[in-house]
Amino acid sequence: MDKNYYSLNVKEVLKSLKTSEKGLTENESRERLEKYGINEIEKRKSITPLQIFIRQFTSFIVIILIVAILISLLIGERLDAVVISIIVILNGIFGFIQEYKAEKAIEALRKLTALKAKVIRAGKEIAIDSRELVPGDIILLETGSKVPADARLVQIAVLQVDEASLTGESVQSKKITGPIKEDTSVIDQENMVFMGTIVTKGHARAVITNTGMDTELGKIAELVQEVKEKLTPLQEKLKQFSKWLGFVTIGICAVVFGVGVLREYLAKTFFEISYISEMFLIAVALAVAAIPEGLPAIVTISLALGVRKMAKRNALIRQLPAVETLGCTDVICSDKTGTLTKNEMTVTEIYTNNTLIKITGEGYTPKGDFIHAGSEQPDTRNIELLLKIGALCNDSRLNHNEKWEIFGDPTEGALLVSAEKLGLEKTKLEKNFPRIDEIPFDSERKCMTTIHKINNENIAYIKGAPDVIINKCKYLYIDGKVNRLTEEDKKRILKINHYMAKKALRVLGFAYKSLPGSYNPVSEELENDLIFVGLQAMFDPPREKVKEAIAKCKTAGINTVIITGDHKFTAVAIAKELDLFKEGNIALSGDELDKLSDDELNRIVEDIKIYARVSPEHKVRVLDALKKKGYTVAMTGDGVNDAPALKKADIGIAMGITGTDVAREASDMVLADDNFFSIVNAVEEGRGIYSSIKQFVQYTLSSNLGEILVIFMAILMGWPLPLIAIQILWVNLLTDGLPGLALGLDPFSKDVMKKPPRKREEKIISRDVVRNILIVGFVMMVGTLFLFYSYGVESIKAKSIAFTTLVMFQLFNVLTYRAKNFKINFKTSKYLIGSVIITILMQLVVLYTPLNVAFKTVPIGLLDWVKILLVTCLLYIILESRKMFSNYWKRRTHLSVKL
C-alpha cells in the first residue's frame, strides 16, 4: 500500500483503509489476510527435505563407504557391495528422519515464541499472533511494546518510540497524531510507528497501514537475512570432540588395516588382493561404526525435542543454549506477584478518612459490600474519590463475556472491580472525566499519573507504592476537605500500610492534585505537593503447587530468592506461607540494599531470601553478587527496565502474560503462564535432556570401543577376523539406531531433581564416563573373543556367535541406563524396551532367513543362545553392581560430612 498516510488526518486514514476505531470484523480481517498475506519478514528459503536427505550422503565417512562399495564391485564382491549399499541407504533414511524432525521442532519453536499483538476487532480488545495482523487493524501499544507492523497513530498519551533499529538514531522519537507535509522522510514521520521499533514511554492506538514485506523494515529485509543458527556450547564441544575422535579412530583403523595386512604377509610371504580388500572393508566399517559423526545432530534433536516438551509445560525456550544452562541453575531469583502468587487480585480492604473498611466478594465479579465499624453499609460517599482514582489512573479493562475477565494488568483489574462494586464503571467515568495526558508507571518512580479534564479543570490522579506516594504528599483529603498532612498523619498511614502488608496484602496509595491550565507533563513538580486520599489493599493467594515446587528446588540443591517491588512485610508473609523464609534468613529493602557496599553484600548474599521494593538496577547488582560466588542464576522480569538484568542472567526468564515485548526479546525463556512451577519444570526438563544426551554419548562410545577392541585384539592374537565388514555395519545400524534414540524419547528419571546441580565447567566426558567406557569396552572384548574362541575361530558358526554376542552386549549395555538396583520400570522405558525387541527380531532375520547368505551367518541353536545370554548379561551385572557401590559410597561420604 503506497499511500502517504502520514499526510492525512485520522478520519481520512480510517476512511482510506476502510476501517473504524472499532476495528475490523472477523470476516474483514480474514479476507484481508488472504489478500495481503501473513505479517512477517520473508526468511531465506529453508532447507528442503530433499536437501536434508542428500546431506546424509555427503559426509567424509560415507564417501569412504561409497569408495568401499566401488572396490567391492571391482573385485567381484557384488553381494557385499549390495548389502553395504542397503545399509548406507538405511542409515541415510534414519538420519534424514531424525534431522527432518529436528527442523520441524525448531520451526515449531519459532512459532511458539512469536510476538502477540493487542488489537480491537469488532469493538472488543483481544490478543492475537502478530503474524495475523492486516491493514486496517486497530492496535494498542504501551510501554515495552514492540511495534508489530507499520501504523498511523490515532490516539496517543505521551508516546515516545525508540526507532534506532530502523533509523539508527539513538534519540527517542516523540510522536503526534496530526497530519504532516508530503515527502517527509521516514525518520521525520512523527505520526507513524514502524515495525520492529520499541515503545519506550506512554501508550497509543494506531491503525495498521502496511504489513510484512510492505513495511519499512520489509524494504530493507535483505540486510537482516544473514542470520546463522549458532551452535550451543555443548554442540560445539561435541562437534570438536567428534572431529578429534574421528582422527584418532581413522588412525586406529589404519593401524588395524596395516597390522592385518602385515600379519597375512608374514604368514604367507605374499600379498593376497582379496585379503587386502577385506581388511580395507573391515577398517572402513570400523571407522563408520566408531566415529560418532551423528553426535552433534543427535544433540540438536534431543535439544529440539526437549524444547517441545518444555513448551507443553508452559516454558517457551527462545535460545537452545538455555536448555543446557537450566541443568546448572542453582539460584532462581523470582518475582512474587503472578509468579509465586496467582496474580488474581481482589481488593479486600481500603483505608480512607482515618477509617479501615473491608470489602467482600471474590475474583473479578463486581459484587460485594463495604463494611466498617459494625455497620454493614457505611456512607460510601467518603470512599468514592479513592475508588474513582483507582479506576481512572488505570490502563486495564473489565469485560464480561461468559464470565468477568480482566484485559490488562491484574492489579489494575482489582481496582476496577472495587470501583464497580460501588457502581463506578470505568467507561462512564472516562466519558465524564476524559484522560488528556499521562506519565506511565516506571520502576524508578514507582508510581503512575493520569491527567483528566474535570469541570474545565486539569486534575492529576496518582497511584503507586504507599511510601512513595506519602513522601510526595503535602495535604490530606479528609471529610471532603483538604487539610495539611502532618507527621502524625504520615506515621498513622504508614502504620496502617505495615499492618496490611504483614497480612500478605499488596497495598497501593492514591492521591490527586489540581494543575494549572498550562502545565509541563515531564516536570517533576507535577507529582509533588499531592493530596493524599487513601490506600487500597488486595490479596493475591499463592499459586497451587508453588510450595511443592519450592520444596523440590530445596531437594535439588536450588536456592529460591524473591525479588519484588512489593513491601518487605508482604513479601516475608508470603515467603513464610511457602516455607521459603526461616530464622536466620535476611529480607532487604531496596533502600537497605543501597546502603550496603559491594563487599558487605557479597558477605551476606547467600543468606538473603527476599529483596523488596527493588528497582531493575538492584536486580543487576544482586546478579553480580551471586555470580561472583560462582552461582548459575535464573532471573525473572517483565518490564522494559528489566531487560539488562534478563540479558545478564545466566537464564533470563520473561513473563508471557504480563511481560513486555522488550523483556521477552531480552530473555532466554518465556513463561506462558507466568508460573514459578513452570520454571522448576523447565529446570527438571533441562537436567533430564542433559542426562539423556550424556547417556547417549556414553552408550555410543562404550559400544564402539568394544567393537574396535574385538577386531584389534583378534588381529594381534593371530586369529581370523571375528566379524566381516557387513556385520560391523549391521551392528552399528541396529544398536546405534533405535536403542540410542530411545534413550532420548523415554521419560528421564525423576531422580534428576534429587541431585545437586552440575557445575557449568563439568565435561560431558567426565572421568567416571571414561572409566565406564573402558569397563564396557574391555568386558565386550573379553566376552566376545571368549565365545569366538570356544566355538573354534575358523568356523562360520564362531563368527555368527561373535556377531550375535556383540549385538546382545550392546543391548544389555543400553538397558543399564534405565535400570535402578537391577530393576527396569517398563512403564517409563517403553521406547527402549520396544527398540531392544525390534533389534533382536532384526538380528534373528539375518540369522534364520535367506539373508544369512548375504551376511555370511548360520543359524545358531537354543544352547548357543543360552551361552550368549549368560556371557552378555555379565555386563549388566557388572555395571549395575558398580552403580550400587558408587551410590552407597556417595551416601556414606555425605553422611560423614554431615556428622
Side-chain angles (χ1 to χ4, degrees), residues 502-745:
K502 280 184 175 179
K503 295 194 292 182
L505 298 179
R506 187 176 200 192
V507 191
L508 290 177
F510 298 82
Y512 76 98
K513 180 181 183 179
S514 180
L515 300 175
S518 59
Y519 60 90
N520 183 357
V522 295
S523 170
E524 289 185 9
E525 292 301 312
L526 192 146
E527 290 181 335
N528 287 333
D529 299 336
L530 306 178
I531 303 165
F532 184 80
V533 177
L535 304 172
Q536 292 199 54
M538 53 206 81
F539 180 62
D540 184 15
R543 283 182 179 270
E544 295 172 11
K545 295 188 177 180
V546 162
K547 195 171 183 178
E548 174 194 329
I550 289 170
K552 188 184 275 191
C553 283
K554 286 179 184 175
T555 306
I558 299 169
N559 183 25
T560 305
V561 176
I562 295 178
I563 298 189
T564 179
D566 264 0
H567 197 287
K568 184 162 73 173
F569 291 148
T570 307
V572 169
I574 287 288
K576 284 181 177 177
E577 194 172 336
L578 295 171
D579 291 338
L580 191 56
F581 194 84
K582 60 184 181 182
E583 196 171 333
N585 291 147
I586 300 170
L588 282 183
S589 69
D591 290 339
E592 290 167 334
L593 183 58
D594 286 333
K595 292 173 186 175
L596 294 177
S597 68
D598 287 343
D599 288 339
E600 288 171 328
L601 176 61
N602 290 340
R603 278 198 295 273
I604 63 171
V605 70
E606 290 170 304
D607 295 320
I608 302 172
K609 278 287 185 178
I610 294 168
Y611 296 89
R613 283 279 187 265
V614 294
S615 68
E617 287 74 21
H618 290 135
K619 284 188 173 185
V620 173
R621 193 174 172 210
V622 171
L623 265 174
D624 286 337
L626 287 167
K627 290 176 99 171
K628 276 180 186 174
K629 291 280 187 179
Y631 290 105
T632 299
V633 187
M635 173 78 78
T636 67
D638 54 11
V640 176
N641 293 338
D642 285 330
L646 292 174
K647 279 183 178 287
K648 192 159 194 172
D650 298 295
I651 294 285
I653 304 170
M655 302 297 110
I657 298 171
T658 60
T660 59
D661 293 341
V662 173
R664 284 192 282 268
E665 294 231 322
S667 68
D668 302 292
M669 182 171 90
V670 177
L671 297 182
D673 58 354
D674 292 8
N675 193 338
F676 180 82
F677 193 69
S678 298
I679 302 176
V680 180
N681 285 342
V683 171
E684 186 175 19
E685 287 288 346
R687 288 189 179 191
I689 291 164
Y690 188 87
S691 174
S692 296
I693 291 170
K694 190 172 182 177
Q695 287 176 352
F696 177 81
V697 171
Q698 186 173 314
Y699 164 68
T700 303
L701 296 182
S702 59
S703 296
N704 292 352
L705 178 64
E707 294 169 27
I708 290 175
L709 289 177
V710 166
I711 299 296
F712 191 58
M713 287 304 297
I715 291 171
L716 287 182
M717 293 170 75
W719 292 356
L721 294 172
L723 283 83
I724 60 173
I726 294 169
Q727 292 170 348
I728 294 171
L729 292 173
W730 181 253
V731 171
N732 185 54
L733 175 66
L734 282 190
T735 56
D736 279 8
L738 292 175
L741 181 64
L743 286 175
L745 292 177

Side-chain angles (χ1 to χ4, degrees), residues 851-870:
L851 274 177
N852 61 13
V853 176
F855 281 88
K856 296 181 173 59
T857 60
V858 293
I860 57 177
L862 182 61
L863 186 61
D864 301 324
W865 274 106
V866 171
K867 289 178 182 178
I868 289 170
L869 290 173
L870 285 173

